[in-house]
Amino acid sequence: MERGTYRKGATSLRGRHVPNTTTDQRLLDQSQDTDWVHSDPWRVMRIQAEFVEGFGALAELGPAVSVFGSARIKPDSDYYAKGVELGRLLAEAGYAVITGGGPGAMEAANKGASEAGGTSVGLGIELPFEAGLNPYVDIGVNFRYFFARKTMFVKYAQGYVVLPGGFGTLDELFEAVTLAQTQKITSFPIVLLGRAFWEPMLTFISDTLLAQGMIGEPDLHRLQVTDDPAEAVRLIIGGGVGLGVSRPE
């Protein structure tokens, strides 16, 4: 991908042709006119096309694990190294590795999988500040709409491994937890990699959400936490049984 290139679905744009807004933004924008009456039915066709494209690209993928984490993680960081090791170990265990296809933790997991001879998948998204997929993606699909992309992360994965990240990472994490809690997905291990980073969140879940009755006891054990990529892979293989979040005293 050349520097300054903007991806909009299958289209590449540069210079003055780069739009000021994204497709998702225009879909969700509540404009004051009635143009949406005429444009929204056509958007449905584009959304349908994104699902068809994703299903077609991933239908024969085989066992896979989705890996999430911040695009801001630097290549010289410990988290990046753990992401590379995780990708390698997942590939050696027979899993394809699915990420958001961007830099940082996503690139690390794709790199580990690709260098180990595994299948490295990147599901990109149209964003104003990211251009294209990282160079370690073997199968890449670019999406306009977050919800179509997020469906692919869940549908074709046997579990999630989540490295430290920001709002986007938390969004994917808690969507998966909610789907598991409501039994929309079953037997879906979710492993958090990086104990020091995740412990404050897990403490809040245990000491506040559970203590105030916002979640139930079984919900604590939907999240597994470890510092060891090898342990993360073992938890995925074992269906998430092993570590867990302790109930508050």
Side-chain angles (χ1 to χ4, degrees):
M1 175 66 62
E2 297 181 18
R3 186 175 179 82
T5 302
Y6 183 91
R7 290 299 299 270
K8 183 179 179 183
T11 306
S12 297
L13 303 170
R14 299 191 71 196
R16 64 184 177 84
H17 299 286
V18 174
N20 295 321
T21 60
T22 65
T23 307
D24 256 338
Q25 183 180 345
R26 292 189 293 277
L27 172 66
L28 299 174
D29 184 35
Q30 297 183 9
S31 60
Q32 299 303 309
D33 54 41
T34 59
D35 287 349
W36 64 270
V37 174
H38 307 289
S39 60
D40 276 11
W42 291 106
R43 283 194 178 119
V44 171
M45 301 299 291
R46 178 178 289 170
I47 292 167
Q48 181 184 34
E50 290 213 337
F51 279 107
V52 171
E53 183 72 20
F55 294 157
L58 304 179
E60 299 179 357
L61 187 62
V65 173
S66 289
V67 178
F68 300 97
S70 176
R72 304 185 185 195
I73 288 176
K74 303 301 182 185
D76 60 353
S77 72
D78 181 59
Y79 289 138
Y80 189 96
K82 287 183 181 292
V84 173
E85 184 181 0
L86 173 68
R88 175 181 64 82
L89 292 171
L90 285 170
E92 291 176 352
Y95 292 101
V97 172
I98 304 173
T99 79
M106 296 173 281
E107 177 183 293
N110 285 136
K111 179 180 180 180
S114 180
E115 292 182 345
T119 301
S120 176
V121 180
L123 306 180
I125 185 69
E126 178 191 345
L127 292 175
F129 44 81
E130 285 187 22
L133 302 173
N134 70 66
Y136 302 102
V137 169
D138 300 320
I139 300 175
V141 184
N142 282 291
F143 291 87
R144 289 180 171 92
Y145 299 103
F146 265 114
F147 51 85
R149 176 184 185 236
K150 289 166 76 172
T151 298
M152 305 303 155
F153 282 129
V154 176
K155 178 174 175 56
Y156 292 103
Q158 275 66 56
Y160 279 6
V161 179
V162 189
L163 281 83
F167 289 145
T169 301
L170 294 175
D171 177 47
E172 299 289 357
L173 167 61
F174 281 106
E175 179 173 57
V177 174
T178 302
L179 290 172
Q181 183 191 53
T182 56
Q183 299 182 23
K184 298 294 185 181
I185 53 176
T186 58
S187 302
F188 196 86
I190 303 168
V191 182
L192 308 178
L193 186 57
R195 185 177 294 276
F197 181 88
W198 294 110
E199 283 279 330
M201 184 191 76
L202 297 176
T203 299
F204 168 76
I205 291 172
S206 178
D207 292 357
T208 302
L209 298 185
L210 180 67
Q212 296 188 23
M214 304 299 175
I215 62 172
E217 176 74 30
D219 296 322
L220 287 178
H221 304 291
R222 299 186 190 282
L223 298 173
Q224 313 295 317
V225 60
T226 181
D227 283 319
D228 182 10
E231 178 67 14
V233 175
R234 287 194 292 271
L235 286 167
I236 291 291
I237 295 172
V241 179
L243 302 174
V245 184
S246 299
R247 181 168 181 160
E249 297 294 335

